[in-house]
Amino acid sequence: MLYWIVRFIASVVSKLLFRLEAKGVENIPKVGGFILASNHTSYLDPIVLSSACPRKLNFMARHDLFYSPLFSWLISKVGAFPVKRDSPDLSALKEAMRRLKNGNGLLLFPEGTRQVNGVSLSEPQPGIGFLAAKVNVPVIPAFVKGSVKALPKGAKCIRAGKISVYFGKPRSF
């Protein structure tokens, strides 16, 4: 229930502040597990992607976000679970597989971190291909445009501006 309340508030704020626009929403499966694989340029990306996606999303989030008890409680309640990024994290992979097998959507950022300048891409991590093949779920490519201008890496405040989310056609592995 908390997910939908937070999502509603985030959607209203995103539409007012960022004029959030979503294209390709019809590419999100109506039922069953799926992986949403997106670029990542800003802390706003999980918020705008969940606001634009018609289905509930789960999130793999870096483990140090769970150090604060209050923030850990909040992000856990909205579907996040920790992952250690510096080494293969078997418990995070098992949790991701469990959620996908239960028919949930899982948001992943293939590069594992935010892009430094919002333009160039880093090497993708191997987890998405492994999960998609192991659980046999489609991967929906997504692209967020404009979030890097609204809240770039290192910024102290959010700037209003246009943010668009594009959902591509499902890919199977």
Side-chain angles (χ1 to χ4, degrees), residues 16-161:
L16 291 174
L17 194 59
F18 307 122
R19 300 183 320 275
L20 180 63
E21 171 185 63
K23 295 193 177 189
V25 175
E26 68 277 3
N27 293 322
I28 303 296
K30 299 214 183 316
V31 295
F34 67 96
I35 295 171
L36 188 62
S38 179
N39 66 316
H40 191 20
T41 60
S42 170
Y43 284 134
L44 293 173
D45 294 336
I47 297 166
V48 297
L49 284 160
S50 62
S51 295
C53 184
R55 298 229 358 238
K56 181 181 179 185
L57 294 174
N58 289 262
F59 313 89
M60 230 185 229
R62 69 176 200 257
H63 72 283
D64 58 340
L65 293 175
F66 292 83
Y67 289 166
S68 163
L70 181 61
F71 192 64
S72 175
W73 176 85
L74 175 64
I75 62 176
S76 295
K77 289 295 182 187
V78 297
F81 58 95
V83 61
K84 293 179 184 145
R85 297 187 303 180
D86 298 334
S87 61
D89 187 343
L90 294 179
S91 63
L93 285 172
K94 287 178 183 177
E95 182 62 20
M97 286 190 283
R98 185 185 70 75
R99 292 183 188 212
L100 290 166
K101 285 178 182 176
N102 286 337
N104 296 303
L106 178 65
L107 171 61
L108 295 176
F109 300 112
E111 297 164 283
T113 189
R114 287 173 293 147
Q115 299 162 359
V116 176
N117 60 11
V119 178
S120 59
L121 298 174
S122 307
E123 273 299 308
Q125 301 296 311
I128 289 178
F130 172 80
L131 284 170
K134 190 80 173 162
V135 186
N136 195 25
V137 296
V139 175
I140 315 299
F143 180 73
V144 179
K145 179 181 176 184
S147 64
V148 70
K149 291 178 183 170
L151 187 63
K153 199 168 186 175
K156 301 290 184 212
C157 62
I158 296 173
R159 296 180 208 132

